[in-house]
Amino acid sequence: MLLHKTGLGFAIKRLLLLPLLLLLQGAAAQSVTINGLVVDAATNKPLVNASVFINGTSRGTVTDAQGNFQLVPAAAASYEIIVSYVGYTTVQFITKPGELARKFRFELAEQEAAAKDVVVEPDVKDGWNKWGRTFLQSFIGQSELADRCTLRNPEVLRFKYSSKTRKLQVIARDALQIDNDGLGYHIRYQLEQFEIDNRSGMTFFLGYQFYTPYDTKRERKENKYKAARREAYNGSLLHYIRSAYNHNLAQDGFETRLLKKVEQIDSSLVNGHYVYRTKKYDLLDKNILADSVFIKTDSGGTHQFLVFEDYLDVTYLKENEKPAYVATQYPIRKPYHPISQLWLVNRRPVQIEANGLFFDPLDLFTLGYWGWEKLAETVPTDYEPGD
């Protein structure tokens, strides 16, 4: 999910609905196969070529003629499995510890039946020409990597706009097929929701993504992709969470500080009347936090959590901001080290995992540089440096 405030140079972002993953203790080195069956919920007939994948990763498959599938994840763990089929409602299922040995059964319902009572705006005529560029910039981004991304099937998109609410909705009738030539990935994105609220300047989207690396068969090209992926990973939120879990933030180039956002009401006399304006200010504590201040372990010593008040201000010292990001700032300035903020929007601790994932993903939003980095800047959540 992503929320974007236009005109302020920052965005609030969820990590594009990354999979919730609970590690199985003592089982990390075991291999595992996930087996299952996908059927029509009304007829119980098998659905052939239904897509089944582990959200945010490069591991997925399709069902065979009997509706069966087999997934081979990287390790024995619980995963967020996504099952989709054209014309049917997507199923999201998070496995539980100890369940992987059984055969899963997924029943998919037709979308028409599921949405028969939903009232929606009519499609915008010639919607792609009117709103396509806005959609791409809000979803894929405006960076140099975004310029190297291609949406292969824009015809599956429908655009709905309400002049009353000034909201734009985008609906995908099939999974979006995106080529990221900068990082060397084919991305299959199951877009579930997309909305731009022009009154608040906020953008929201929700979906599931599956990555397939380019098969280049050319060493020079492959090395170029590996270098670009490593650059995209370095300093990312995925990198930060992994580093925080291992308490390696300083060694990995991250500095974390406390930040408060305060409001102050100013008044001025205009034409004999006082006009009141609310201004927001950032109060940054210049002291670098020790990891133990905001990374806590539960009483059993099993799980780690991010716990803090207000905001965490994160600086990544091992690179500078990209020119495309600097161009969004006012006034235009020279590049600095990227600075982002973390916000516990629901004021609840967020559990973090060794692989860089966190949950509940809806509880942790980011602002600043991480908010600007959209789909074009992402690598799979099972990425390891060198892939």
Side-chain angles (χ1 to χ4, degrees):
M1 183 185 74
L2 183 140
L3 301 172
H4 178 67
K5 183 70 173 180
T6 60
L8 296 182
F10 64 80
I12 302 172
K13 182 176 85 170
R14 179 191 166 196
L15 187 60
L16 296 173
L17 201 69
L18 294 181
L20 173 64
L21 188 153
L22 309 175
L23 295 181
L24 296 179
Q25 299 178 30
Q30 300 177 8
S31 61
V32 64
T33 300
I34 301 174
N35 295 283
L37 173 68
V38 181
V39 300
D40 183 298
T43 65
N44 286 321
K45 292 183 178 180
L47 294 177
V48 182
N49 288 325
S51 176
V52 185
F53 60 94
I54 300 173
N55 187 30
T57 72
S58 56
R59 298 178 183 273
T61 187
V62 295
T63 55
D64 62 18
Q66 288 74 46
N68 295 308
F69 71 86
Q70 187 176 87
L71 282 175
V72 182
S78 290
Y79 294 94
E80 184 183 27
I81 300 175
I82 306 301
V83 186
S84 64
Y85 193 78
V86 177
Y88 287 74
T89 300
T90 300
V91 169
Q92 171 205 25
F93 181 78
I94 300 173
T95 63
K96 305 295 183 183
E99 288 185 337
L100 298 184
R102 73 177 178 87
K103 186 173 183 177
F104 294 91
R105 177 185 172 91
F106 296 105
E107 299 180 357
L108 273 60
E110 291 190 68
Q111 289 179 340
E112 288 77 5
K116 62 181 180 180
D117 296 325
V118 179
V119 178
V120 296
E121 294 286 336
D123 291 354
V124 175
K125 185 178 180 180
D126 203 19
W128 175 254
N129 288 333
K130 292 180 179 179
W131 294 106
R133 179 178 176 82
T134 298
F135 170 76
L136 291 177
Q137 290 180 344
S138 301
F139 175 59
I140 294 178
Q142 301 182 60
S143 65
E144 293 176 0
L145 284 177
D147 291 340
R148 302 193 62 184
C149 289
T150 303
L151 174 60
R152 293 294 183 189
N153 56 341
E155 68 277 2
V156 306
L157 294 174
R158 293 183 294 169
F159 298 81
K160 300 176 181 295
Y161 183 75
S162 169
S163 57
K164 182 178 180 180
T165 63
R166 296 183 59 195
K167 290 182 179 181
L168 172 71
Q169 291 182 315
V170 182
I171 298 171
R173 292 171 292 180
D174 198 357
L176 302 181
Q177 304 295 337
I178 301 163
D179 293 339
N180 187 336
D181 289 334
L183 297 182
Y185 290 121
H186 301 291
I187 305 174
R188 181 185 185 277
Y189 196 96
Q190 190 75 31
L191 185 67
E192 299 296 313
Q193 298 178 46
F194 183 97
E195 182 179 283
I196 297 177
D197 187 337
N198 288 299
R199 285 182 174 174
S200 66
M202 306 297 286
T203 297
F204 165 87
F205 64 80
L206 172 69
Y208 313 105
Q209 64 264 37
F210 174 65
Y211 295 79
T212 304
Y214 281 15
D215 185 12
T216 64
K217 294 184 174 61
R218 294 166 53 190
E219 183 177 0
R220 183 177 178 181
K221 190 72 171 178
E222 184 62 27
N223 288 338
K224 186 176 181 180
Y225 285 144
K226 287 182 177 181
R229 293 166 188 167
R230 182 61 184 262
E231 182 179 352
Y233 169 75
N234 286 341
S236 66
L237 181 59
L238 180 65
H239 185 192
Y240 181 83
I241 297 296
R242 289 180 179 180
S243 181
Y245 183 91
N246 293 307
H247 295 264
N248 287 332
L249 290 172
Q251 299 93 310
D252 289 344
F254 293 103
E255 291 182 345
T256 306
R257 297 173 174 85
L258 282 176
L259 174 70
K260 290 186 177 182
K261 292 182 177 291
V262 298
E263 292 186 353
Q264 179 177 322
I265 298 178
D266 292 338
S267 63
S268 59
L269 189 62
V270 179
N271 297 326
H273 298 280
Y274 281 99
V275 177
Y276 297 91
R277 296 182 179 88
T278 301
K279 295 184 178 180
K280 294 184 178 181
Y281 298 90
D282 288 350
L283 298 179
L284 179 65
D285 189 331
K286 295 184 178 181
N287 295 312
I288 299 174
L289 295 177
D291 296 357
S292 58
V293 173
F294 58 95
I295 304 172
K296 305 295 183 181
T297 304
D298 62 10
S299 58
T302 304
H303 302 295
Q304 295 192 72
F305 299 82
L306 292 180
V307 183
F308 56 90
E309 298 289 334
D310 298 308
Y311 298 81
L312 293 182
D313 189 85
V314 180
T315 302
Y316 184 60
L317 300 176
K318 294 189 176 182
E319 67 179 20
N320 288 329
E321 300 160 328
K322 294 182 178 178
Y325 176 76
V326 177
T328 68
Q329 305 302 294
Y330 181 82
I332 299 297
R333 53 169 174 74
K334 67 178 183 179
Y336 302 146
H337 296 308
I339 300 175
S340 307
Q341 292 82 40
L342 290 176
W343 175 33
L344 295 177
V345 64
N346 293 315
R347 300 183 179 275
R348 292 194 295 249
V350 168
Q351 184 173 332
I352 60 176
E353 299 290 355
N355 56 13
L357 303 181
F358 56 90
F359 61 93
D360 184 343
L362 289 173
D363 286 341
L364 184 65
F365 287 174
T366 70
L367 299 87
Y369 200 73
W370 286 334
W372 174 78
E373 293 182 318
K374 297 184 176 68
L375 184 65
E377 312 292 324
T378 64
V379 294
T381 56
D382 57 350
Y383 168 84
E384 293 295 337
D387 289 353

